[in-house]
Amino acid sequence: MTPEHGTPPPPVRVPRPERAHAERVAALRRARLTAAPAHLPSEHEQAAFELGLVVALVLGAPDASQGLDLLVNERRIHPEGAEVFGALLYATGREEGAEFWWRFAAGSGSGTAAYCLHLYHLRLGETEDADYWRAWSDQLATARGRPGPRDLRMSRPLLPDDVRRDILSRVHHGLAPQLPAALVEVIDRLPVQGGDEEEVPNPWGLAAQAEAGRWWEPPREGPPG
């Protein structure tokens, strides 16, 4: 449920996932050290490329819009929407905010968000964190009977066709995913949740636009003429 007009958004607490099994982390670490070379010059560059590709696929998925709707319009925060919102933040260069929302989604059962965190930390050279989140992603994928993100029905696209094509094209050319300036302005106007070292954007300001299916259009200034 979105906050009342004039009321600051409630703080969002990141769920603490169960600790991944130490044996699984150790096995992944051994596999990473003995893996065949990636097609890019370094492990960090390969991780950056793969993370950009995952972000592009998340934003281009047919159910991404519905996930965002669930995030901003329902009483509880859905991991599907947190995963999508994290991808939006990453595509606008807000990496700390993306990490926060991916951690929320991963702690709530999103294996895709956990894999995004694996690639994010691997890109930064933080291999211990990267191995942990890869183990958590694998653990979610193989868990039996664990409640996770629900399947969403196909819905309208989250982004216009030309924007989705441009993001994929940029990634395939080795560039970071990027949103057009008008969409970046929408993200810039979102309320933030303050922390000790960072301010994390909250998605509540997307509610009206998401309901209309045109969230990427900046709101009108003043009454219509």
Side-chain angles (χ1 to χ4, degrees):
M1 180 172 61
T2 55
E4 297 295 331
H5 180 71
T7 303
V12 178
R13 306 300 179 192
V14 177
R16 188 181 297 274
E18 300 171 11
R19 190 68 190 174
H21 294 306
E23 295 84 358
R24 189 187 295 271
V25 174
L28 287 168
R29 191 165 298 156
R30 289 193 298 270
R32 180 171 51 78
L33 293 174
T34 59
H39 77 275
L40 291 177
S42 72
E43 186 177 58
H44 311 318
E45 292 172 280
Q46 181 71 24
F49 170 78
E50 292 183 16
L51 179 55
L53 183 58
V54 174
V55 165
L57 294 175
V58 167
L59 295 180
D63 55 9
S65 178
Q66 189 175 355
L68 191 62
D69 286 349
L70 291 173
L71 179 65
V72 299
N73 290 323
E74 292 206 2
R75 291 182 178 276
R76 67 182 183 88
I77 298 177
H78 290 261
E80 304 93 336
E83 173 190 309
V84 173
F85 188 55
L88 283 172
L89 294 178
Y90 185 82
T92 57
R94 291 159 176 79
E95 295 186 2
E96 291 181 341
E99 181 189 9
F100 176 92
W101 285 101
W102 282 335
R103 283 174 62 90
F104 179 92
S108 301
S110 169
T112 299
Y115 191 69
C116 286
L117 289 167
H118 157 69
L119 294 172
Y120 172 75
H121 287 289
L122 195 59
R123 181 178 70 85
L124 297 177
E126 299 168 351
T127 54
E128 288 190 10
D129 287 335
D131 290 339
Y132 167 72
W133 286 112
R134 176 60 187 270
W136 180 239
S137 176
D138 290 352
Q139 200 161 309
L140 288 174
T142 58
R144 293 291 180 266
R146 174 184 173 84
R150 68 182 182 184
D151 293 332
L152 302 178
R153 296 179 180 177
M154 292 184 65
S155 182
R156 62 183 180 275
L158 177 68
L159 301 174
D161 289 343
D162 58 335
V163 173
R164 287 183 288 141
R165 286 194 298 267
D166 180 68
I167 292 174
L168 275 174
S169 176
R170 287 181 59 85
V171 170
H172 282 300
H173 285 85
L175 302 174
Q178 181 176 303
L179 298 179
L183 279 69
V184 174
E185 289 177 11
V186 173
I187 302 296
D188 283 342
R189 287 194 297 270
L190 294 178
V192 296
Q193 173 178 312
D196 294 335
E197 299 179 356
E198 61 180 312
E199 290 186 336
V200 176
N202 272 326
W204 317 125
L206 297 178
Q209 295 98 316
E211 287 173 356
R214 305 289 292 180
W215 73 267
W216 58 81
E217 292 184 352
R220 284 174 142 183
E221 304 248 347

